[in-house]
Amino acid sequence: MVRRDFLKSTVKIFFLLISIISVSVFSIFTYPWKFKRKELTFFHATDEEALPIKGVRQVFIKHIRGNTQINSKAFIVNSGSELFALSPVCTHLGCLVNWYRPKNRFLCPCHGGQYDMNGKVVKGPPPADLNRMPIKIEDGKVYIGLRV
Amino acid sequence: MGKIFDWIDSRFGVKQPHKKFLERPVPEGVNYAFCLGGASFVFFLMLVCSGLMLSIYYVPSEQEAFMSIVRLNNDVTLGAFIRSFHKWSANLLIITIILHTIRVFIYKAYRPPRELNWIAGSLTLIIALGSGFTGYLLPWDQKAYWATEVGTSMASTVPFIGKYILYLIRGGEDVTGATLIRFYSMHILYFPTIMFLLLWAHFHMIKKQGVKGGL
């Protein structure tokens, strides 16, 4: 009977090993094989004359990914004392927010997140403020940096 | 039964062992609410059939998925019908599964010895919801994209391992063509296979334990 017990535990260990190997192979196999290296690139967004004197302006940044043209939304905000660009991606679950002028707030259509003009969370579930995007002005043209 | 069936069954022998099951008396106190499980199974079979048909025209690629759906809807004869059939069966499947769960709960049919069947049924509901979620991305339109963006973002809020779950689901950092292929594979291979196994277990236990009668 000793031999039988030995064989039984050997088979058990064998199947345990096979399970562990299968799970690890599956995890490694399904792990993304390539992360796109994202580099900060500046794209022309609008001209300097079109910038808001005080307030928010929605711009679309045209760029090409693969062979489709993409219009990325962004907001240029002039709070009176400071000029900056805000990403429209809600920090809650990644929907795109809209600027709602009557309330002077950014509203997220998905779960009711609200941000003020500076991108600070006012109401709703978002855990963090809207991200700022790099912006630069050269020769009267406004460029916004995207990671693509 | 018919001559052809008898010829097959005299060799295959599926009738004899099921005789007791097929001729068993129905317990007292059953009503039409006991049909909800069967209705769910019929919707599942309808989904399998229409899904097999859809898979002939659908192209699971970032570039072509949306156009293949447009072609299916506009050019293919009965294309829009089969697609609607799949969509409505899916909606009704979820509804009937939930009603069936409520029926089982009310009639206390989850009690011993049927606990494991309740667990198998719950897993079936989870797989059905997973199929619904993965199937929603496949048209690859704006609604599908944003629903998946939001739905998969929720997975990333899991403490510590959220990021890795997100990578596993999306196949990268963002919702891209890699996500589409993953969802397609889950939707047509993984989930239906798991579903068939679970339903086999579910029906096997009904056969062994019998139907729990009225209150």
Side-chain angles (χ1 to χ4, degrees):
Chain A
M1 292 310 271
V2 176
R3 184 190 282 174
R4 173 167 291 185
D5 288 344
F6 171 74
L7 283 173
K8 265 186 182 171
S9 48
T10 312
V11 168
K12 265 183 204 161
I13 290 166
F14 175 75
F15 277 107
L16 189 71
L17 269 177
I18 291 287
S19 323
I20 292 169
I21 291 169
S22 309
V23 169
S24 341
V25 166
F26 183 83
S27 321
I28 295 166
F29 180 75
T30 50
Y31 194 79
W33 58 278
K34 187 182 82 178
F35 285 105
K36 254 186 243 152
R37 233 184 322 126
K38 292 186 173 176
E39 276 164 30
L40 188 66
T41 324
F42 280 91
F43 292 94
H44 175 239
T46 180
D47 295 328
E48 199 173 359
E49 308 105 65
L51 286 178
I53 299 164
K54 188 172 192 298
V56 177
R57 205 182 117 88
Q58 178 177 300
V59 291
F60 285 98
I61 307 158
K62 289 188 180 74
H63 59 103
I64 287 166
R65 186 165 70 195
N67 45 17
T68 44
Q69 192 184 319
I70 294 171
N71 290 328
S72 292
K73 193 160 92 167
F75 293 105
I76 300 177
V77 184
N78 192 340
S79 64
S81 54
E82 197 189 355
L83 182 81
F84 53 88
L86 282 179
S87 157
V89 180
C90 182
T91 52
H92 178 220
L93 291 171
C95 294
L96 298 187
V97 299
N98 298 306
W99 173 245
Y100 186 60
R101 197 188 291 273
K103 272 183 142 183
N104 267 335
R105 279 181 183 176
F106 293 101
L107 304 184
C108 180
C110 291
H111 308 98
Q114 297 187 10
Y115 306 84
D116 69 6
M117 200 174 164
N118 297 310
K120 292 226 162 18
V121 184
V122 183
K123 219 178 161 185
D129 301 338
L130 288 177
N131 288 318
R132 293 201 176 187
M133 299 163 96
I135 184 168
K136 66 179 180 188
I137 300 170
E138 275 171 13
D139 308 329
K141 289 188 171 182
V142 180
Y143 297 91
I144 290 181
L146 286 180
R147 293 196 174 274
V148 286
Chain B
M1 273 197 241
K3 260 187 183 163
I4 297 170
F5 180 84
D6 285 340
W7 185 88
I8 294 170
D9 197 55
S10 63
R11 286 146 188 88
F12 197 68
V14 75
K15 203 171 161 189
Q16 189 56 38
H18 284 80
K19 209 164 189 159
K20 226 170 119 186
F21 173 69
L22 291 169
E23 287 166 11
R24 76 200 189 284
V26 175
E28 267 177 51
V30 298
N31 54 40
Y32 280 108
F34 283 70
C35 295
L36 286 164
S40 311
F41 184 55
V42 170
F43 284 128
F44 174 67
L45 291 179
M46 282 159 69
L47 280 164
V48 171
C49 295
S50 53
L52 285 171
M53 287 156 90
L54 290 178
S55 73
I56 286 172
Y57 286 103
Y58 181 69
V59 186
S61 109
E62 196 175 4
Q63 313 293 338
E64 290 184 50
F66 179 70
M67 277 318 291
S68 75
I69 293 286
V70 170
R71 247 180 283 135
L72 178 79
N73 248 15
N74 297 343
D75 303 341
V76 177
T77 319
L78 290 180
F81 170 71
I82 296 298
R83 200 175 154 227
S84 312
F85 191 94
H86 197 72
K87 182 210 157 150
W88 284 104
S89 310
N91 283 315
L92 291 167
L93 173 73
I94 302 290
I95 292 169
T96 49
I97 292 181
I98 289 170
L99 290 176
H100 173 61
T101 313
I102 293 168
R103 200 279 296 165
V104 169
F105 187 76
I106 290 171
Y107 281 82
K108 300 187 177 74
Y110 54 86
R111 288 187 174 175
R114 299 187 177 79
E115 313 98 306
L116 188 60
N117 220 4
W118 171 268
I119 293 168
S122 308
L123 292 175
T124 308
L125 174 59
I126 292 168
I127 297 295
L129 292 173
S131 297
F133 180 62
T134 49
Y136 205 72
L137 179 69
L138 301 185
W140 204 233
D141 53 10
Q142 283 291 316
K143 199 167 65 163
Y145 177 86
W146 288 107
T148 305
E149 173 78 36
V150 169
T152 51
S153 292
M154 288 178 192
S156 71
T157 59
V158 174
F160 308 117
I161 53 164
K163 204 177 77 177
Y164 297 101
I165 297 176
L166 191 74
Y167 288 164
L168 175 70
I169 298 173
R170 285 188 182 171
E173 279 171 322
D174 309 305
V175 176
T176 56
T179 320
L180 179 67
I181 296 168
R182 267 167 203 237
F183 274 41
Y184 176 73
S185 162
M186 288 289 155
H187 189 77
I188 72 155
L189 292 169
Y190 289 68
F191 290 157
T193 312
I194 298 169
M195 197 75 160
F196 269 115
L197 292 172
L198 282 172
L199 289 178
W200 168 77
H202 206 61
F203 298 155
H204 168 80
M205 279 184 271
I206 293 170
K207 239 159 62 179
K208 287 285 168 201
Q209 298 158 352
V211 175
K212 165 92 167 62
L215 288 166

